[in-house]
Amino acid sequence: MNQIFTIYSMLFIVTALVSFFVAILAIKRRSVVAAGELSWLMIATGLGAFWLIFETSAPDMAGKIFWTKLEYSSGLAVPVLYLLFAFRFTGNNKLLTRKNIILLFIIPSLTFLLAVTNEKHNLIWSGYSPISEKTNLMEYFHGIWFWIGYISYSYIMLLIAAVYIINYLIHQAGTFRSQAWVIFCGGMFPWIASIIYLMGASPVRGLDLTPFSLTVSGSLAAYAILHFRFLDLVPVARETLVEILPDGILAIDSRNRIQDINAAAINFLGISGKNIIGTDVSLSGATVTNLLNAVVEKNSSDRIEVGENNNIKSYSIIKKAIKDNRGSRLVIIRDITLQMRSIEALKESESQKSAILRALPDMLFVLNPDGCFIDYFTADSSKLILPGFEFIGKNITAVFPPYLALEAITSLKKSYLNNELVCFSYSVDNVGKKEYYEARIIPATSDKILVIVRDMTDQKLTEQELIKAKDMAEESDRLKSAFLANMSHEIRTPMNGIMGFTELMEMTDISNVEKHEYLSIIRKSGDRMLNIINDIIDISKIESGQMKVLISKTNVKEQIDSIYSFFKPEADAKGIQLIKSNSLPAKESVIETDTDKLIAILTNLVKNSIKFTDSGFVEFGFEKKNNYFEFLIKDSGIGIGKEQQKYIFERFRQGSELLRRNYEGTGLGLSISKAYTEMLGGTIWFDSELGKGSEFRFRIPYKPVRESPEELPLAAVEKPMNPKIKELVVLIVEDDKPSELLIKRLVSPFSKKILIADNGLKAIEICRENPDVDLVLMDVKLPEMDGYEAIQHIRKFNKDLIIIAQTAFGLLGDKEKALKAGFNDYISKPIKSDLLQSLIEKYFSN
């Protein structure tokens, strides 16, 4: 029986979606404490709302009772799951034993069984009110066990959970207290909604607001997850671990607001004891300015010194991006004052200095002020220009090339004389491979200088790749911008012709000659617009990989003749000679290939040649070579320049991307032709010279068919309309009024009666009630029931009725889809009168 969906059904759909959304968020953080319990709670809530969708939309009492029983399976579990969640969230894991969980679910399980078997004892419901015609809701009169096993038990579970959360609120501070307040407030809404329902104060009689109130609870839980980062940190672990760490820890969002901060960080930054959670770091009142700047700046130094004279303190700054939070970062401030003092002391001892050097992964060198090597260390000797022992005693000028040695000596002397850290970067060729390094030079003692060399090759290559990728992205954006500018021009131009001359047609002072001229312009503009749309659709399907190859028997010779006939008037109008060459016998011209794609390739290439040829000739044809057909399209046109030839087949590229181009077109024809040729298993190439014309060639595999070519249908031959076809009963199934009016006008000469339907259901009804219908012209996209479904019903009681599909989609493969669905034939919009006439003659001529 059909469901009656009301506004209340929609509300429960929202409730279910919100609950499942929160469940997904929690599942993504399932490794965090309480995430699992929250996900189960929200799944149960969502399922309960899901069953209520059908309960509120059920048309009869039996259906409502059935769905309500299913809803009990979820509603009974929610209070228990909420209590389990509260235990886990507040750190009372010892209560979450298997035995306790089983005990908690005994009464809900018993209550559910009683609800299922209520008809035998009426302990859950003692009766029901009639279904309201206005709201489609039914009021339930509850039995004794409803108050004991459902209401009382649920309230006990929620009360215990509230007690644990309130106790947790009392003992927590900062971010986690805010999280707990959100969860506690969210848990109150189901209480309030339940009390309203039980007191009979619901705004709609028979509507229980409790499940809907869970939408608010779920939204608050989602807010806690996304805003307060609920479940990202374990409260107990945070209080027992983060607060006692000696390192300062700050969590900062993309707007430099403090999300969390421990006592050590507050002390290091010199912040007063006020609540600064959510405050901009710069406005937190920090008094240690140098350290504050290092925390705020995203590219600050990893080491900061604060103070002066003998009271200097050193800090290291470590910054890590926070996962799934763009721009947010975790900042760790570590007091390394003692470490730095130890390092200074170790510099006075050679053995201790050696131990420090060997603990570092970089290459280390010790030199005297003149640039001679005293000692070295490296974990990878392959990076050394000379074997290690050959370094000792040699000067930099004897080891490195002159240009590099000069820069190294200059940096060495600068560091020694100024007693400062000096860095410089360089590259060397090592065994045929270019490697990049960074040298950091600092005086160690009065007669020794420490040089730390880091291999930066990987980082440098990554930077180069990023630059290359950036250049490619910029070029792609430029090309797409040019393409879109051209596409805008190409669409607006024919639209200007259509709209402008349509407006002129409405004037009363134009002559018949002008009307015919305007109609010709409107038709040409419409054809141009249709070609643009077809190109865009084709290239989109090619780009997305949705274009399919549909193999069928194809008479190539006939296709060449057809294209010749099609373009001959256009060539004659331009005064150029159109030549075809297809001397191959008809029986050898039939192959298996995708006819539509072959026609599209030839049409694009011939159309291009005619467009870019102002005088002379355009020649096209084909010949058989070994196991393939080779096609030729040659012209005496303007040709293609050398610069344009390298990207003529690329998408979003044209021979000219400037606004002053003299030729219309989207620039997609050659891209589509190349893609189609490759999809057919062939190749395409060209030869052109600016001012002398172009010669395009492409090949496709020669795959002969087994049947003789005489068995193939001959090309359609135009013939005058059969005057006897004037007594048809025609049904037009079309929801677009202009299209309905056009088709009605086109079929009126052949019809004695025209019936109209604007959806699939009406079409089925008319066909059933009017068995004398001869022809159905049915749009495949219809409201309530589309054409593909409607024809399935019609074919069950009338298999001989001629039904022709008509659609505005017009994509490759649509015709095959229509025929497979049961249509006799297919015509795409915009519908042309001559094509519709030929289809009617095909099925109704004697």
Side-chain angles (χ1 to χ4, degrees):
M1 187 174 293
N2 295 329
Q3 300 291 113
I4 303 174
F5 288 94
T6 65
I7 184 61
Y8 312 111
S9 307
M10 299 302 104
L11 292 176
F12 288 121
I13 290 174
V14 173
T15 302
L17 292 176
V18 171
S19 299
F20 290 139
F21 172 70
V22 177
I24 291 171
L25 291 179
I27 289 171
K28 288 184 177 180
R29 295 168 172 83
R30 56 185 176 274
S31 61
V32 181
V33 172
E37 286 74 12
L38 179 60
S39 63
W40 281 112
L41 174 61
M42 289 297 102
I43 289 171
T45 301
L47 286 174
F50 183 78
W51 303 131
L52 284 174
I53 295 169
F54 297 96
E55 193 274 337
T56 56
S57 62
D60 55 29
M61 182 177 294
K64 290 184 178 296
I65 293 173
F66 171 78
W67 292 112
T68 300
K69 288 179 179 181
L70 285 181
E71 190 273 335
Y72 260 57
S73 65
S74 302
L76 289 165
V78 167
V80 178
L81 292 173
Y82 185 79
L83 178 60
L84 298 179
F85 165 76
F87 285 162
R88 184 75 72 182
F89 176 70
T90 57
N92 291 280
N93 298 336
K94 62 183 179 181
L95 298 176
L96 295 171
T97 64
R98 178 178 297 181
K99 178 180 178 182
N100 287 347
I101 294 173
I102 293 174
L103 290 174
L104 288 172
F105 274 100
I106 288 177
I107 290 181
S109 301
L110 175 60
T111 305
F112 177 69
L113 289 175
L114 291 176
V116 172
T117 59
N118 184 73
E119 290 78 8
K120 297 181 179 180
H121 46 70
N122 293 328
L123 291 175
I124 303 299
W125 303 292
S126 59
Y128 317 93
S129 70
I131 297 175
S132 170
E133 293 182 358
K134 182 178 180 181
T135 64
N136 195 42
L137 297 177
M138 181 175 74
E139 190 172 4
Y140 297 81
F141 305 127
H142 300 108
I144 185 64
W145 189 257
F146 170 83
W147 300 101
I148 297 173
Y150 187 68
I151 296 299
S152 298
Y153 189 79
S154 298
Y155 278 19
I156 290 171
M157 297 295 100
L158 294 174
L159 180 61
I160 295 172
V163 169
Y164 275 93
I165 293 176
I166 291 173
N167 182 63
Y168 176 81
L169 278 169
I170 295 172
H171 294 89
Q172 294 298 321
T175 302
F176 300 104
R177 173 176 285 182
S178 301
Q179 295 173 356
W181 267 115
V182 172
I183 299 304
F184 177 77
C185 292
M188 291 297 101
F189 282 95
W191 284 69
I192 297 170
S194 177
I195 292 171
I196 291 174
Y197 174 72
L198 295 175
M199 292 177 64
S202 177
V204 179
R205 186 174 182 180
L207 177 64
D208 185 1
L209 294 174
T210 303
F212 178 68
S213 69
L214 292 170
T215 302
V216 181
S217 300
S219 299
L220 288 174
Y223 180 75
I225 291 173
L226 296 174
H227 183 74
F228 287 107
R229 307 303 301 149
F230 173 54
L231 300 182
D232 277 5
L233 293 173
V234 182
V236 176
R238 196 267 183 198
E239 295 298 324
T240 58
L241 178 60
V242 176
E243 284 297 331
I244 66 173
L245 284 175
D247 297 334
I249 298 178
L250 299 90
I252 304 174
D253 67 9
S254 58
R255 296 169 61 183
N256 285 335
R257 295 176 301 184
I258 299 174
Q259 298 298 295
D260 199 4
I261 185 169
N262 69 349
I266 292 175
N267 180 51
F268 291 157
L269 292 169
I271 299 174
S272 62
K274 64 180 181 179
N275 184 13
I276 58 171
I277 298 298
T279 305
D280 190 293
V281 183
S282 302
L283 303 176
S284 62
T287 57
V288 185
T289 307
N290 291 348
L291 191 55
L292 175 65
N293 293 337
V295 168
V296 174
E297 294 172 5
K298 294 184 178 180
N299 298 316
S300 63
S301 172
D302 57 359
R303 177 184 163 190
I304 298 296
E305 290 188 348
V306 177
E308 56 186 17
N309 301 328
N310 295 326
N311 191 27
I312 295 177
K313 297 184 70 67
S314 299
Y315 298 94
S316 70
I317 307 295
I318 301 173
K319 298 179 181 179
K320 295 291 184 181
I322 298 177
K323 185 179 180 182
D324 298 330
N325 284 272
R326 184 184 296 273
S328 297
R329 56 201 183 276
L330 183 69
V331 182
I332 301 175
I333 307 172
R334 179 167 296 167
D335 186 347
I336 58 171
T337 304
L338 294 178
Q339 293 173 267
M340 296 307 298
R341 290 174 181 172
S342 298
I343 290 174
E344 293 295 328
L346 288 174
K347 288 181 180 179
E348 302 300 325
S349 170
E350 192 67 31
S351 60
Q352 290 176 330
K353 182 184 67 175
S354 178
I356 294 174
L357 296 178
R358 285 172 173 76
L360 298 176
D362 302 318
M363 292 185 290
L364 309 176
F365 300 93
V366 181
L367 296 88
N368 66 18
D370 295 326
C372 292
F373 289 93
I374 300 174
D375 198 0
Y376 79 96
F377 170 80
T378 179
D380 185 1
S381 59
S382 65
K383 296 185 179 296
L384 298 174
I385 296 178
L386 297 175
F389 61 87
E390 295 188 19
F391 273 102
I392 306 304
K394 288 188 176 181
N395 193 275
I396 291 177
T397 56
V399 176
F400 292 104
Y403 74 93
L404 186 55
L406 178 61
E407 185 176 3
I409 288 291
T410 302
S411 300
L412 197 74
K413 290 183 176 180
K414 180 180 178 182
S415 175
Y416 181 72
L417 293 174
N418 298 327
N419 193 29
E420 65 179 16
L421 174 67
V422 175
C423 300
F424 81 95
S425 302
Y426 64 94
S427 62
V428 295
D429 290 323
N430 190 5
V431 195
K433 177 185 176 183
K434 193 167 188 177
E435 297 177 342
Y436 299 86
Y437 295 93
E438 178 187 71
R440 299 170 68 88
I441 307 171
I442 189 168
T445 64
S446 59
D447 59 350
K448 293 178 183 178
I449 301 173
L450 179 65
V451 180
I452 303 173
V453 179
R454 176 166 296 179
D455 186 352
M456 305 294 289
T457 303
D458 291 341
Q459 179 178 332
K460 191 70 175 179
L461 293 177
T462 300
E463 291 175 357
Q464 292 174 354
E465 289 297 324
L466 289 174
I467 292 172
K468 183 179 178 181
K470 173 178 172 292
D471 293 340
M472 292 177 65
E474 290 176 348
E475 174 68 2
S476 176
D477 286 344
R478 188 188 69 80
L479 294 177
K480 289 182 180 179
S481 296
F483 169 76
L484 291 174
N486 176 47
M487 195 60 61
S488 174
H489 172 268
E490 290 300 322
I491 291 175
R492 289 176 182 273
T493 300
M495 281 300 298
N496 182 61
I498 294 170
M499 298 178 69
F501 284 96
T502 300
E503 186 176 348
L504 291 178
M505 287 289 293
E506 295 175 347
M507 297 181 178
T508 59
D509 59 343
I510 60 174
S511 65
N512 288 333
V513 174
E514 289 175 315
K515 284 184 179 180
H516 285 295
E517 181 182 359
Y518 295 167
L519 285 172
S520 176
I521 292 172
I522 292 171
R523 171 168 290 190
K524 289 179 180 178
S525 297
D527 290 340
R528 180 176 173 186
M529 176 71 77
L530 188 58
N531 289 334
I532 293 169
I533 293 171
N534 287 336
D535 280 352
I536 295 172
I537 292 173
D538 287 347
I539 202 67
S540 298
K541 293 190 74 174
I542 291 170
E543 288 277 4
S544 62
Q546 297 180 9
M547 185 66 72
K548 306 298 182 184
V549 176
L550 304 173
I551 300 298
S552 62
K553 300 175 185 177
T554 305
N555 191 319
V556 180
K557 183 179 178 67
E558 288 183 1
Q559 301 305 331
I560 292 291
D561 292 341
S562 176
I563 292 173
Y564 176 82
S565 299
F566 182 82
F567 283 108
K568 186 68 166 63
E570 184 177 349
D572 291 343
K574 291 191 70 173
I576 60 178
Q577 184 180 9
L578 186 62
I579 306 168
K580 65 175 179 178
S581 57
N582 52 354
S583 58
L584 199 66
K587 110 182 336 186
E588 297 182 25
S589 300
V590 181
I591 62 172
E592 288 187 345
T593 189
D594 189 318
T595 308
D596 291 336
K597 291 182 176 57
L598 177 60
I599 293 173
I601 299 168
L602 289 168
T603 301
N604 278 331
L605 295 176
V606 174
K607 180 171 64 177
N608 266 8
S609 289
I610 294 175
K611 180 168 66 174
F612 293 108
T613 301
D614 296 326
S615 62
F617 69 92
V618 172
E619 178 184 356
F620 71 102
F622 75 103
E623 60 181 330
K624 184 176 178 295
K625 290 186 177 181
N626 298 325
N627 294 322
Y628 53 83
F629 275 172
E630 183 173 303
F631 295 82
L632 165 71
I633 300 88
K634 184 177 181 181
D635 64 64
S636 59
I638 62 174
I640 305 170
K642 294 294 183 183
E643 286 299 317
Q644 287 76 30
Q645 288 184 14
K646 60 186 177 182
Y647 54 73
I648 199 69
F649 285 118
E650 292 183 13
R651 293 164 188 148
F652 311 123
R653 302 297 292 259
Q654 291 184 282
S656 174
E657 295 163 7
L658 302 176
L659 295 178
R660 60 174 180 270
R661 292 176 309 155
N662 297 322
Y663 302 96
E664 65 182 43
T666 62
L668 296 174
L670 290 178
S671 298
I672 294 171
S673 298
K674 183 175 185 295
Y676 282 177
T677 303
E678 293 173 350
M679 292 174 72
L680 296 179
T683 56
I684 187 170
W685 69 98
F686 72 96
D687 184 27
S688 182
E689 186 174 346
L690 198 61
K692 294 185 178 181
S694 303
E695 180 178 303
F696 281 81
R697 290 180 181 268
F698 70 94
R699 294 175 177 175
I700 61 173
Y702 174 72
K703 298 179 180 179
V705 296
R706 296 180 181 179
E707 295 85 359
S708 62
E710 287 74 16
E711 297 177 4
L712 292 174
L714 297 175
V717 178
E718 292 187 6
K719 59 180 180 179
M721 182 65 189
N722 188 339
K724 295 182 180 180
I725 305 177
K726 294 184 178 179
E727 302 298 326
L728 299 180
V729 177
V730 181
L731 169 60
I732 300 172
V733 189
E734 175 62 69
D735 65 325
D736 179 61
K737 287 298 180 183
S739 297
E740 174 194 315
L741 182 62
L742 173 63
I743 299 171
K744 187 175 180 180
R745 179 66 183 85
L746 293 177
V747 301
S748 59
F750 324 125
S751 309
K752 66 178 179 181
K753 183 178 180 182
I754 298 177
L755 304 173
I756 303 296
D758 59 4
N759 62 64
L761 292 174
K762 290 183 181 179
I764 297 169
E765 182 181 352
I766 292 174
C767 287
R768 194 187 301 276
E769 296 176 354
N770 297 270
D772 60 334
V773 172
D774 299 301
L775 171 65
V776 179
L777 294 169
M778 183 182 296
D779 193 359
V780 297
K781 184 179 183 296
L782 296 166
E784 297 189 40
M785 179 185 291
D786 65 28
Y788 290 117
E789 186 177 353
I791 195 172
Q792 301 298 322
H793 292 278
I794 295 174
R795 287 306 185 204
K796 290 179 181 179
F797 60 84
N798 192 337
K799 298 185 182 300
D800 300 324
L801 179 60
I802 302 301
I803 306 177
I804 297 175
Q806 43 113 353
T807 176
F809 292 129
L811 304 178
L812 289 174
D814 282 347
K815 182 174 182 179
E816 289 72 14
K817 182 180 178 181
L819 296 179
K820 186 176 180 181
F823 288 96
N824 296 90
D825 221 313
Y826 166 95
I827 186 170
S828 62
K829 296 178 182 178
I831 295 175
K832 296 186 177 180
S833 59
D834 56 348
L835 181 57
L836 181 60
Q837 173 182 317
S838 66
L839 281 176
I840 294 175
E841 283 194 332
K842 175 180 176 181
Y843 292 102
F844 296 100
S845 291
N846 294 329

